[in-house]
Amino acid sequence: MQIGVPRESAAGETRVAVTPETAKKLVAQGHALLIESGAGVSASAIDEAYVAAGAQIVDRAAALGAELVLKVKSPNAEELGLMKSGAALVGMLNPFDRPGLEALAGAGLTSFALEAAPRTTRAQSMDVLSSQANIAGYKAVMIAADKYQRFFPMLMTAAGTVKAARVVVLGVGVAGLQAIATAKRLGAVIEASDVRPSVKEQVESLGAKFIDVSYDTEEEKEAAQGSGGYAKPMPPSWLERQKVEVAKRVAQADIVITTALIPGRAAPVLVTEEMVKSMKPGSVIVDIAAPAGGNCPLTEAGTTVVKHGVTLVGETNLAALVAADASALYARNVLDFLKLVLPKDGGFQVPMDDDIVAACLMTQGGTVKRS
Ligand code: NAD
């Protein structure tokens, strides 16, 4: 099958859906790999490396005109115009973007959004949310360390003692756990909060302290279980108690990393303007939830601002700032998903009895499949 890989066109998107490593594997499976010239250059994958892997370097129209197109982000209007009706598309297509999905259906594409894969053991190797959130958690701490005008570790020097940085992580999914692990490696003292009590053990195993908030009613206990591993909106009574506990920690924190997300909804506000005012000058907040509205109302998506003496980082594509490894992991996720739709005997199939394929299928035959 002809597989096309265009250069990503979204602003700040440095990742690529196929690396020379995965290109080699797809070529070995008998596919013709059409890589747009320069597609991997921002991720340190040069054209020559793709050629060495057996791929062909082509122009934009040829890459987008392939039978199967592999992308990072959903195609824009220009890209859709170059794609063939009846072609297949695999990428991070944003399952909650209804107009975007309608545009894919309108273009006659059979499309798969990898973010929609279930959080099951079998789907782990193609879990793009995890592979990219892991990188975001790491990079958030790297950025915080860069913006913070003090040390992370405790130091005892001839010129006196330097205190360890206090880090608060709000939301302990994949990104939050990596943020804790990274901050720990740098020597910080860390506290973390999540709505799901099940993460307490994970937080403690990384050497951080869990901010306990009691679950007093049946409604609170039920909501805390979430659904499918994801958080559900918590009752206001619980959020109020969480706010009091979080406010105390944030006031003492040097760094706050927020990652709290609820799929398909605006991110919950966890750090209010009052809390920001209570922080020491020079403190840093990295709001990983910035693309979903942010966990702090003072965050400005896509930029870094200083408010009340606190630096707020609203970077919306942290994974793209670690382009080579983000691409390497994403490309392996894509390769694993392709095993489900590209059988060894050739052709392209959509096995709807496969729960991963069924969950990821967004559009087919001109209609949006997602309810
Ligand atoms: P996410 O990015 O959707 O959300 C980040 C975190 O924010 C979550 O832990 C969520 O509980 C938390 N959160 C939401 N509202 C909050 C609030 N008001 N206060 C504090 N925290 C809040 O999460 P994710 O990283 O995608 O992980 C979601 C779940 O899926 C986790 O349980 C994770 O362990 C699980 N998971 C399972 C698999 C698998 O089994 N294959 C793979 C990856 C992740």
Side-chain angles (χ1 to χ4, degrees):
M1 162 159 271
Q2 265 186 353
I3 303 178
V5 183
R7 185 177 188 148
E8 293 296 316
S9 54
E13 188 50 78
T14 54
R15 293 168 291 179
V16 62
V18 170
T19 56
E21 175 201 332
T22 62
K24 194 171 177 183
K25 293 188 173 147
L26 289 166
V27 169
Q29 288 165 20
H31 302 294
L33 255 266
L34 310 177
I35 311 279
E36 180 182 344
S37 180
V41 77
S42 318
S44 313
I46 55 173
D47 287 356
E48 289 75 5
Y50 286 105
V51 171
Q56 301 165 49
I57 300 300
V58 298
D59 65 13
R60 191 158 178 71
L64 283 158
E67 294 165 286
L68 166 62
V69 175
L70 305 179
K71 276 191 90 326
V72 176
K73 292 267 171 73
S74 212
N76 62 17
E78 176 255 341
E79 290 167 328
L80 278 181
L82 292 169
M83 293 178 74
K84 289 205 176 88
S85 179
L89 167 70
V90 175
M92 289 193 280
L93 309 179
N94 191 357
F96 297 105
D97 172 17
R98 185 81 198 185
L101 296 183
E102 274 161 12
L104 300 180
L109 301 174
T110 299
S111 65
F112 300 89
L114 296 183
E115 311 98 299
R119 277 357 235 292
T120 56
T121 306
R122 192 170 76 95
Q124 251 173 351
S125 62
M126 49 197 99
D127 184 343
V128 294
L129 290 180
S130 292
S131 73
Q132 305 305 296
N134 195 10
I135 293 172
Y138 162 83
K139 190 66 181 178
V141 174
M142 292 292 107
I143 292 176
D146 182 46
K147 302 279 179 207
Y148 185 50
Q149 296 300 313
R150 298 174 192 274
F151 275 108
F152 260 50
M154 195 264 277
L155 289 182
M156 290 163 93
T157 79
T161 301
V162 172
K163 276 205 246 166
R166 295 184 76 94
V167 174
V168 171
V169 176
L170 301 176
V172 194
V174 179
L177 283 173
Q178 184 55 259
I180 294 173
T182 306
K184 189 74 190 170
R185 285 181 205 117
L186 290 177
V189 173
I190 307 148
E191 290 185 275
S193 168
D194 200 290
V195 293
R196 296 176 300 118
S198 55
V199 301
K200 179 178 172 150
E201 211 182 291
Q202 295 169 29
V203 167
E204 289 174 350
S205 74
L206 288 171
K209 201 169 163 227
F210 190 65
I211 303 172
D212 275 309
V213 180
S214 62
Y215 301 90
D216 293 351
T217 64
E218 280 312 310
E219 189 197 7
E220 290 176 5
K221 284 180 197 149
E222 203 256 298
Q225 297 315 310
S227 79
Y230 291 108
K232 285 207 282 199
M234 289 299 286
S237 53
W238 188 89
L239 290 174
E240 228 9 83
R241 290 201 301 284
Q242 181 200 33
K243 192 171 150 189
V244 172
E245 293 307 316
V246 165
K248 286 186 215 160
R249 273 53 172 217
V250 167
Q252 292 169 3
D254 301 298
I255 311 290
V256 177
I257 310 275
T258 67
T259 82
L261 289 171
I262 298 166
R265 292 173 183 258
V269 171
L270 299 180
V271 181
T272 62
E273 179 158 15
E274 281 312 304
M275 291 186 207
V276 176
K277 280 185 187 164
S278 77
M279 294 177 77
K280 287 168 275 188
S283 303
V284 180
I285 298 175
V286 182
D287 195 341
I288 301 184
N295 292 138
C296 176
L298 303 189
T299 302
E300 291 184 18
T303 184
T304 296
V305 292
V306 178
K307 293 186 183 168
H308 308 299
V310 175
T311 301
L312 289 119
V313 180
E315 180 58 56
T316 49
N317 196 350
L318 285 160
L321 300 177
V322 191
D325 271 339
S327 300
L329 300 181
Y330 179 70
R332 287 183 209 146
N333 293 147
V334 170
L335 186 70
D336 248 66
F337 176 77
L338 291 182
K339 289 181 189 149
L340 308 178
V341 290
L342 290 177
K344 284 207 175 80
D345 50 5
F348 187 87
Q349 63 175 19
V350 185
M352 289 303 281
D353 55 346
D354 185 306
D355 64 326
I356 301 173
V357 174
C360 292
L361 181 67
M362 295 289 122
T363 64
Q364 190 180 32
T367 54
V368 176
K369 292 289 171 189
R370 203 183 157 78
S371 56

